[in-house]
Amino acid sequence: MTITEIAKATRITRNSVAKYLEVLRMGGQVDMHEVGNAKVYSLAQRVPLSAFLCFTRDLIVVLDEYGTVLQANDRLLGLAALEKADVIGKNVRETALPIISAEETLSLIEGVKCEQCVKDIRYPHRNSELFFRMQVFPTVFADGGQGHTVVLEDTTDKQRCLRNMAFLAETAMEFVDLPEETDIYTRIAGMIREFVPYGRVFIQSYDDKTNQFVIRAVEDQAFRDTLATIIERDPVGMVFPLGEVLHSPFLDDPAAIERGIRKITLGSTSGDGSLSFYDLAFHCIPADICDRIVSSMNLKTVYVAFLVWKGSLLGDVGIFVSEDEDVGDLRALESLIRQASIAISRRMTEERLRRSNERFREVVEHFPFPAAILDAKGCFTFINHAFTRMFGYKVTDIRTEREWMELAFPDPVLRSTVIAGWRTDCREAKVNQVRTRRLPVQCKDGDMRSILIRAMTLCDATQFLTFEDITELRRAHSVLLADIANLMHASDDLRLQSKALFALGAPVAITNGGEIKYANPAFLMRWGYSSVAELAERPVEDFWTKGDEDSNEMYPAAEVSDEAAVLTAHRRNGSTFYVVAIPAPVRNTDGVMMGTVLLFQDMATVPEEHDTGSNPLQL
C-alpha cells in the first residue's frame, strides 16, 4: 500500500502515516520498495530466531545484557552435552557452556558495545582440539532490550588442514636435512607421535636378505617401558620372520601391503572384524602376555601401514589408540608415512652406496699398481699408497690434474703435449674405455721413470687411472739387446742368438720376413709349444696380432718394428692373452736388416687404445 492508501484507510494525515511507517521500517516490521515516484509498503517477512538457529552449522547463543541465556542452538548444546532446560533462562556463568562460560570469553562479550568482535578460539575437547572463529554481535531485541549474539564458526577442519600441511612441509625439509648419524626410525616414530599425540607407535624394518621384520623404534617411552616390563625384554630388536607375517590373519590379502592405512579393532580372539594381539604379534609373543599388554594399556584399536616405495617393502608402522582416541586426518598421516618410506629408501640407498664406495676404495688401496681417482672437475679425490710410494706425492700435494702435470712433467714442451693429448683423450673417450699412454714421469725426489698410464672414464665422468713402472723392463731390454748385438756382430747367423736367448726368463722371439725364426724356452712355455720346429714356416699372425681380437683392425705385429705395442697372443690350444711387446730391429755390421727381436711382458688388462709413445730401440 502507498502512503495515500494507508492515510485514507486509517483517516490519518499523510505526514503522520509517513513518520509511523519510517519508524516501523527501521524496526524491521515493514518493507518498502519504490514504484516510480511512489513508495509502496508491505509487512516484513520475519523468521523467528529460534527457527533460524536450527538450520545453521555454527554454534549460536543469545544473551541479554545481564548474561542470561535467551537462546542456544542444538549444535552448541550437543557439544556441551546439555539440554535446553539446563541453560535457557539461566545466567551463562551458572552453566557449563563450552567456550562461552569461560571468564576470558565473558569479558570479551561484555566489552562489545557498538561493533562486532571476531576472535579465533582453540578448545581442548576430550583427546583432541577444536578450533572456532567466535563473532560477537551487539543485539537489540523487539522490546528494546539489549544483549549479545555469539556465533561460533567451526574451523576445525580448516585449521587441521593448515596445521597438517605445515607439519608435512616441516617433516619433508627435516628428512632432506636429516644428519647421517640420526637414527631415522626413532625420528620417524617421534614425528608420528607428534602427529598423533595420544598414540603408541612402533616401527619395524624389513631385511630382504634374512626375510625378517625387526622392531626398530617404540614411542613413547612409557609405552616402551610397559612393554619391556611385561615381556621381560626391550621390544626394540625383536624379530618376526616373514613367513609368520604373511600367514597372519590381518594380512589375508597379500596385495594389502601396497594399500594405505588399515584400521584394526583389537579383540580377545580374531574374527568378526577384530584381531587378537596374539595374531597381530605373529604368534611370537605368548597369548597370555598379549592379553596382559592389551588390558594394562587399554588398547582398543591399531592402525597399521606398510612402508613401501617403488615396489620395495621397507617395513611397517603401527599406532595403538584407546577407545576414545583416533589418529586424526588419515590422508595427512598417509602422506607422512609416504615421506618416511622415501626417506628410509634414500637412507638405505646411501648406505649401500657408502658400503660400495668403501669396498671400492679398499680394493684400490690394496691394488698392486699405483692408482688415482679424478672427479669430473679434474680434482684428485683418492690416491692409494702404491702411488705415494712410487711418486712420493700425497693427495694433499696434488689437488688437481694440472698441479700433478706441472710436477710430473717439468719440461714445458712435454707438458703441453701431454695436456693436449689428455684433453683429446677425455673428449673422445667412451665410458669404460681404457686409454693407454707411455710417458716419462718425474717423481717428487727428481727421479725419472718410464710409466705406462692407463685411464678410464666412468659413467659419472670420474677418471680412474693406474700407473705401471716399466723403467726396469726397458733397462733389462737394453742390456739384452746389447748382448745380442755383440753376438750378431760376430756372425750373421741368426741361430747364434738362440744361445743368448735360451737362459732368459722372459719370453723372447726373433722374427724375419713375417715368420718366427727362433724363440727361447720361456716363449715356448707361454705359448704352449714344445719346440721351435713347431713354429717353423708359420706366419706371426698365428701367434699374435696387434689389437683386440674382436677389433676390425688386426694386422701382424711385425709391421710395428720400432715401438712397443699391445698384442693379442694366441696359444696353441686356441686361448688368448695379452702382452706388451718391446721390439728392436737387428742389423749386421753393414746395416743390413737381419730380423726383429721381441721381448714380451704379460698384461693384466686390455687397453683399447695402444701406447702412443715412440722411443725406438735399435741395434
Side-chain angles (χ1 to χ4, degrees), residues 63 67 92-93 99-113 117 119 134 136 148 150:
L63 308 174
V92 68
R93 287 184 171 83
I99 303 174
I100 307 297
S101 298
E103 285 297 329
E104 180 182 356
T105 304
L106 291 175
S107 298
L108 180 66
I109 294 173
E110 292 171 355
V112 176
K113 300 300 182 182
C117 176
K119 182 179 178 61
M134 184 177 71
V136 182
H148 297 90
V150 182

Side-chain angles (χ1 to χ4, degrees), residues 456-517:
M456 181 172 64
T457 302
L458 305 181
C459 60
D460 60 349
T462 298
Q463 301 288 335
F464 177 63
L465 300 94
T466 62
F467 305 83
E468 184 176 356
D469 187 358
I470 59 174
T471 305
E472 296 301 325
L473 176 63
R474 288 193 171 277
R475 290 174 182 171
H477 180 256
S478 300
V479 174
L480 172 65
L481 292 181
D483 293 341
I484 294 175
N486 292 333
L487 291 173
M488 289 185 170
H489 289 163
S491 174
D492 292 343
D493 188 353
L494 293 178
R495 289 177 297 174
L496 292 177
Q497 298 171 59
S498 63
K499 295 180 180 180
L501 303 175
F502 186 84
L504 291 176
V508 179
I510 301 177
T511 63
N512 188 21
E515 298 178 357
I516 296 180
K517 295 301 183 182

Side-chain angles (χ1 to χ4, degrees), residues 83-134:
E83 299 293 335
K84 280 193 175 184
D86 299 329
V87 296
I88 300 299
K90 295 182 179 180
N91 190 280
V92 68
R93 287 184 171 83
E94 300 174 359
T95 63
L97 289 176
I99 303 174
I100 307 297
S101 298
E103 285 297 329
E104 180 182 356
T105 304
L106 291 175
S107 298
L108 180 66
I109 294 173
E110 292 171 355
V112 176
K113 300 300 182 182
C114 299
E115 297 181 357
Q116 74 179 72
C117 176
V118 180
K119 182 179 178 61
D120 290 325
I121 302 293
R122 182 176 65 88
Y123 175 64
H125 179 64
R126 295 179 181 175
N127 292 326
S128 62
E129 291 181 330
L130 302 179
F131 298 88
F132 298 94
R133 169 159 290 188
M134 184 177 71

Side-chain angles (χ1 to χ4, degrees), residues 1-5 14 31-42:
M1 300 175 67
T2 64
I3 294 177
T4 302
E5 293 174 339
R14 294 179 69 257
D31 294 330
M32 184 271 291
H33 60 278
E34 296 182 358
V35 179
N37 294 327
K39 296 180 179 180
V40 179
Y41 293 87
S42 60

